[in-house]
Amino acid sequence: MPINRDTLLRIIICIHFIFVSMALMADWLPKSYLLNQLTILALGFWAIVHRESAIHIELLMLIEMFSIILDSICIGMYFQIGKNSYSSSKNIAYFDISAFFAIFHLILKPIILVLLNKVRQDRLSDSAFGIWTPTPGYTPIDGQ
């Protein structure tokens, strides 16, 4: 059973919300990570509301691409700091779960981009991944 584009977009935004909620369970990531993820959620809701426009999906894809780089920097810079601060307390499990979801969400983002591209193509009525096909009235230059 194929999933329509609106349902796929809703599933993507719900997955994003769950993973971000779990990643922010422990307070080791910077505020820029939270701002970046809230921007993605806001753009996702905006794209859900405007069902026929592809520009919202394209903007969401652009911010999602930048977030891969920004999340890598945030996790790389703050992982050891968070691990050290939580290892001294008895709450190391909170950090472990939070770090797992942050890293796994980062790994899922390229897959999410491919799915968002599918939603964008459905909204634009494009062919698969930019493959050009001639229209029915196409005539070659040499007349054959």
Side-chain angles (χ1 to χ4, degrees):
M1 179 174 94
I3 298 175
N4 68 4
R5 66 179 185 203
D6 295 327
T7 305
L8 182 61
L9 184 59
R10 288 183 185 119
I11 290 170
I12 290 170
I13 297 303
C14 287
I15 288 171
H16 183 80
F17 177 77
I18 291 168
F19 275 72
V20 169
S21 297
M22 295 300 290
L24 294 173
M25 186 169 55
D27 190 28
W28 63 279
L29 288 165
K31 302 294 184 227
S32 61
Y33 182 86
L34 174 64
L35 179 65
N36 186 16
Q37 304 309 320
L38 287 176
T39 304
I40 292 172
L41 283 172
L43 287 172
F45 290 135
W46 192 29
I48 289 172
V49 170
H50 297 282
R51 293 183 176 165
E52 297 305 317
S53 178
I55 191 72
H56 303 100
I57 298 295
E58 291 170 352
L59 185 59
L60 179 60
M61 288 175 65
L62 179 69
I63 299 299
E64 191 84 34
M65 282 188 278
F66 283 126
S67 79
I68 291 173
I69 298 167
L70 296 174
D71 292 356
S72 301
I73 292 169
C74 288
I75 292 170
M77 287 178 62
Y78 286 89
F79 184 82
Q80 196 62 37
I81 296 169
K83 187 175 182 178
N84 291 339
S85 68
Y86 277 92
S87 64
S88 62
S89 68
K90 296 179 181 178
N91 298 328
I92 189 71
Y94 292 124
F95 172 77
D96 291 340
I97 293 171
S98 173
F100 169 77
F101 276 97
I103 293 169
F104 193 66
H105 188 230
L106 180 62
I107 292 169
L108 281 179
K109 284 194 176 196
I111 298 167
I112 289 172
L113 277 171
V114 170
L115 294 174
L116 285 173
N117 190 33
K118 174 65 179 150
V119 173
R120 184 190 69 85
Q121 288 172 354
D122 286 346
R123 287 189 179 188
L124 290 175
S125 300
D126 281 346
S127 58
F129 294 101
I131 297 172
W132 183 79
T133 55
T135 57
Y138 178 75
T139 305
I141 294 175
D142 59 0
Q144 295 177 354

